[in-house]
């Protein structure tokens, strides 16, 4: 810890906070490469912590109807659509068959009424006319208006879109379940005037809402923009890493609900080793973009208690590229302010003495 300054540098946060019998530091490792965007973590977090609903907002940002971490969204699953896969060596559809829109023949094959060779033994019969309508190639409306009509739902694309190779665009989804980082050096802790924020024996950071006075200092101090004030309430709220569950030896609700183990919970040192192995595996499999974010104890916040495996630059996910604890330079600032005050006092005394003589 450089210069003995607890506001920056590597440290074990729980003992530094006064916990003499603290166990290993616990945290999250979020592997975005296996996140499917199901939002089970968001729902589990709300249910367990009784977080109020956020409302149904169509933000115009793909399927992301949460938008960001807020006082009412302690987990936020970000959906990032990239029209051109960043750094992919081969196009997504390379080697796949190309051609025009699906026709009645292929639709009939899918319905079980035909095949490319004209025969389809062993397949249960279906409705070729219905298959053709699903493919957008026909309808069965009689001259008198009776019958059925194709309603514009092609089997291979949304309405109004062609499915030919000429109009097809390659893209990929980047999904990430974002959360409070539970920083090693948490500026929110440093600036809280009431002690509402405290460091737990697990190394996490928790807000005690019953003694929060709503001053908002922690909100501007957070380098990640995580903490938020609840509208109509005024107090600060954020992820507690399910402190009540941790005390009972349970897994946090979001990690418990994650179906792909994208969110992993455990001792932070073990998670860091596991994450490094995962990155190495992805590199071997031809994914050179894979990288870790928030895992380094020597970074600007001393490393995060919740860190991530990303498949692109942090900015793509809405994360700061080089976060720094906002209270890092407070001692130097106070020293300079003190020196300036002494200099002004000395100048005032000198002017008074000189004037009186």
């Amino acid at each position: 810890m450089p210069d003995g300054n607890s506001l920056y540098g590597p440290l074990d946060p729980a003992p530094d906070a006064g916990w003499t019998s603290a166990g290993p530091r616990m945290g999250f490792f979020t592997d975005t490469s296996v996140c499917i965007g199901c939002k089970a973590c968001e729902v589990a977090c709300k249910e367990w912590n009784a977080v109020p609903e956020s409302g149904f907002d169509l933000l115009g940002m793909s399927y992301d109807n949460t938008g960001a971490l807020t006082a009412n969204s302690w987990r936020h699953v970000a959906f990032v659509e990239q029209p051109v896969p960043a750094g992919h060596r081969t196009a997504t559809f390379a080697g796949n068959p190309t051609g025009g829109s699906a026709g009645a023949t292929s639709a009939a094959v899918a319905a079980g009424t035909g095949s490319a060779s004209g025969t389809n033994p062993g397949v249960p019969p279906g409705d070729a006319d219905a298959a053709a309508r699903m493919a957008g190639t026909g309808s069965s409306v009689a001259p008198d208006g009776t019958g059925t009509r194709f309603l514009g739902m092609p089997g291979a694309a949304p309405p109004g879109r062609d499915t030919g190779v000429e109009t097809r665009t390659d893209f990929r989804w980047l999904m990430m379940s974002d959360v409070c980082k539970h920083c090693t050096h948490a500026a929110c802790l440093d600036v809280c005037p009431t002690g509402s924020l405290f460091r737990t024996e697990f190394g996490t950071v928790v807000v005690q809402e019953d003694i929060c006075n709503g001053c908002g200092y922690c909100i501007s101090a957070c380098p990640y923009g995580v903490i938020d004030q609840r509208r109509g309430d005024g107090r600060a709220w954020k992820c507690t890493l399910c402190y009540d569950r941790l005390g009972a030896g349970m897994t946090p609700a979001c990690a418990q609900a994650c179906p792909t183990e994208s969110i992993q919970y455990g001792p932070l040192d073990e998670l860091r080793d596991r994450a490094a192995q995962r990155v190495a595996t992805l590199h071997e499999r031809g994914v050179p973009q894979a990288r870790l974010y928030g895992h380094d104890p020597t970074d600007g916040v001393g490393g995060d208690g919740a860190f991530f495996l990303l498949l692109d630059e942090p900015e793509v996910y809405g994360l700061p590229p080089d976060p720094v604890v906002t209270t890092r330079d407070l001692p130097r600032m106070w020293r300079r302010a003190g020196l300036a005050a002494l200099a002004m006092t000395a100048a005032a005394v000198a002017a008074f003495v000189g004037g009186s003589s």
Side-chain angles (χ1 to χ4, degrees):
M1 186 166 57
D3 301 329
N5 187 346
S6 63
L7 294 180
Y8 65 91
L11 60 77
D12 192 352
D16 186 72
W19 293 96
T20 57
S21 58
R25 185 180 179 185
M26 309 300 284
F28 283 133
F29 164 48
T30 302
D31 183 353
T32 68
S33 69
V34 294
C35 177
I36 58 175
C38 67
K39 292 183 177 281
C41 54
E42 286 191 19
V43 176
C45 176
K46 281 183 174 290
E47 287 185 345
W48 179 262
N49 296 290
V51 179
E53 56 89 18
S54 307
F56 185 70
D57 298 322
L58 297 177
L59 305 179
M61 298 169 60
S62 184
Y63 293 101
D64 184 358
N65 63 346
T66 307
L69 292 171
T70 67
N72 293 338
S73 295
W74 299 358
R75 270 277 180 187
H76 164 232
V77 179
F79 287 72
V80 181
E81 184 182 51
Q82 289 188 333
V84 179
H88 279 202
R89 298 176 182 176
T90 58
T92 305
F93 296 102
N96 285 9
T98 59
S101 301
T105 302
S106 59
V109 171
T113 59
S115 69
S117 61
T119 60
N120 191 18
V123 179
D127 187 340
D129 186 60
R133 292 198 307 277
M134 290 180 63
T137 58
S139 62
S140 57
V141 181
D144 60 359
T146 61
T148 57
R149 183 183 302 275
F150 171 63
L151 298 179
M153 184 58 69
R161 293 188 187 176
D162 227 351
T163 57
V165 67
E166 312 82 22
T167 57
R168 190 161 58 199
T169 302
D170 293 352
F171 70 93
R172 68 171 178 174
W173 287 106
L174 297 179
M175 299 174 183
M176 181 193 73
S177 181
D178 198 7
V179 72
C180 171
K181 313 305 181 292
H182 296 275
C183 309
T184 298
H185 298 283
C188 56
L189 280 174
D190 298 332
V191 301
C192 180
T194 66
S196 171
L197 284 136
F198 75 100
R199 181 78 67 176
T200 74
E201 65 270 34
F202 303 103
T204 59
V205 180
V206 174
V207 181
Q208 301 173 96
E209 66 276 2
D210 55 333
I211 59 175
C212 175
N213 67 357
C215 67
Y217 295 161
C218 56
I219 296 173
S220 57
C222 177
Y224 296 101
V226 166
I227 310 179
D228 185 36
Q229 285 176 303
R230 185 168 293 167
R231 201 175 288 177
D233 179 289
R235 294 173 295 177
W237 301 83
K238 72 171 192 68
C239 162
T240 66
L241 215 149
C242 287
Y243 183 41
D244 52 346
R245 292 175 66 96
L246 267 57
M250 301 170 64
T251 300
C254 56
Q256 185 73 38
C258 182
T260 63
E261 295 187 353
S262 171
I263 302 171
Q264 302 177 35
Y265 163 77
L268 199 58
D269 289 338
E270 293 181 12
L271 293 177
R272 286 171 175 165
D273 291 340
R274 192 183 307 168
Q277 294 174 10
R278 174 62 177 163
V279 170
T281 299
L282 289 174
H283 287 175
E284 292 174 359
R285 294 178 179 177
V287 187
Q289 308 88 359
R291 70 202 70 190
L292 295 179
Y293 178 85
H295 70 296
D296 186 1
T298 63
D299 66 11
V301 295
D304 293 324
F307 66 102
F308 304 82
L309 185 155
L310 305 179
L311 297 180
D312 210 323
E313 299 292 339
E315 300 93 318
V316 172
Y317 298 86
L319 297 170
D322 187 20
V324 175
V325 59
T326 51
T327 53
R328 177 174 186 155
D329 297 322
L330 276 180
R332 188 178 359 168
M333 293 167 62
W334 282 114
R335 284 196 297 268
R336 290 181 177 178
L339 292 174
L342 288 174
M344 292 179 64
T345 301
V349 170
F352 177 79
V353 173
S356 61
S357 61

